[in-house]
Amino acid sequence: YRNLVSDPAVTVEVGDERYAATAVPLVGDDYARTWAEIQATYPFFADHQAGVTRAIPVVSLVRD
């Protein structure tokens, strides 16, 4: 996560597709909405969050 914050330029590879993107940490309402969706889809994240005191970062990959 810290590497993405210091250098947010990334390359995304999905199947045969490859493209440049920028990693953008989510904050505020965007964070809350996306984190809720992640926990609903993958309940183990909620279990993990319950075991730590820090907020787990969520990053959006925005196509350049």
Side-chain angles (χ1 to χ4, degrees):
Y1 174 76
R2 289 181 178 155
N3 288 341
L4 288 175
V5 170
S6 67
D7 183 8
V10 298
T11 301
V12 177
E13 297 180 14
V14 180
D16 293 335
E17 185 179 11
R18 183 178 177 147
Y19 59 89
T22 302
V24 179
L26 298 181
V27 296
D29 290 342
D30 289 334
Y31 175 88
R33 181 179 57 257
T34 304
W35 183 236
E37 291 173 7
I38 290 169
Q39 291 179 86
T41 305
Y42 306 102
F44 63 87
F45 278 110
D47 295 338
H48 180 68
Q49 181 66 74
V52 298
T53 57
R54 66 178 177 83
I56 296 173
V58 178
V59 177
S60 176
L61 301 178
V62 180
R63 188 186 290 250
D64 292 341

